[in-house]
Amino acid sequence: MTRQMTEMLKGTLEGIVLASLSGRPAYGYEITAGLREQGFSDIAEGTVYALLVRIEKRGLVDVERVPSEKGPPRKVYSLNTQGREYLEEFWGAWSFLAERLEQLREGGEQACPMSKGAASSRR
């Protein structure tokens, strides 16, 4: 994974994890495995677990301890009302950014407020 991709992922991983929980509750390893299946192959389990702790503390998920056949109980995370509201805000922000980035990509400097005229007036 490139450094640029890693930096972009840092800013969106919280929304990505919440989106993965919007379908059904899951425990940390399931979330990581699901993300890897969707192409996020370089996401470390430790990164996901640290993120789950943060979103739990912020009250975006509910946690249930479920007995495990192998070792201690698993923490199963499910998106709660506050988490769903946060996820809606995330998708709104994502849509806004994606539209603007697409405009920039398609229009080049024409879509950019710092077009040639603006840049030359600063010289």
Side-chain angles (χ1 to χ4, degrees):
M1 185 178 300
T2 67
R3 178 173 159 75
Q4 188 176 42
M5 178 67 81
T6 300
E7 291 301 316
M8 287 182 178
L9 202 52
K10 283 182 187 178
T12 57
L13 189 56
E14 188 172 90
I16 292 168
V17 168
L18 291 174
S20 74
L21 288 172
S22 68
R24 67 177 182 85
Y27 58 95
Y29 179 79
E30 283 180 310
I31 294 166
T32 304
L35 293 175
R36 287 179 178 162
E37 286 175 14
Q38 293 180 5
F40 297 102
S41 57
D42 290 337
I43 291 179
E45 258 182 83
T47 302
V48 172
Y49 283 108
L51 182 96
L52 288 169
V53 168
R54 286 195 307 271
I55 63 176
E56 179 182 357
K57 285 181 180 177
R58 290 178 48 210
L60 302 177
V61 292
D62 293 329
V63 179
E64 180 182 353
R65 293 192 183 273
V66 176
S68 171
E69 295 174 10
K70 302 175 184 177
R74 291 181 175 161
K75 290 173 87 172
V76 176
Y77 299 86
S78 59
L79 204 56
N80 61 25
T81 302
Q82 187 175 340
R84 289 190 189 285
E85 289 170 1
Y86 183 90
L87 183 58
E88 280 185 45
E89 289 176 25
F90 171 83
W91 285 128
W94 180 262
S95 294
F96 174 84
L97 289 172
E99 288 170 10
R100 296 319 170 280
L101 289 170
E102 188 62 29
Q103 288 172 357
L104 287 169
R105 187 173 76 132
E106 289 176 357
E109 288 192 17
Q110 293 174 351
C112 184
M114 297 298 290
S115 63
K116 291 178 185 175
S120 63
S121 67
R122 291 188 299 165
R123 293 184 192 150

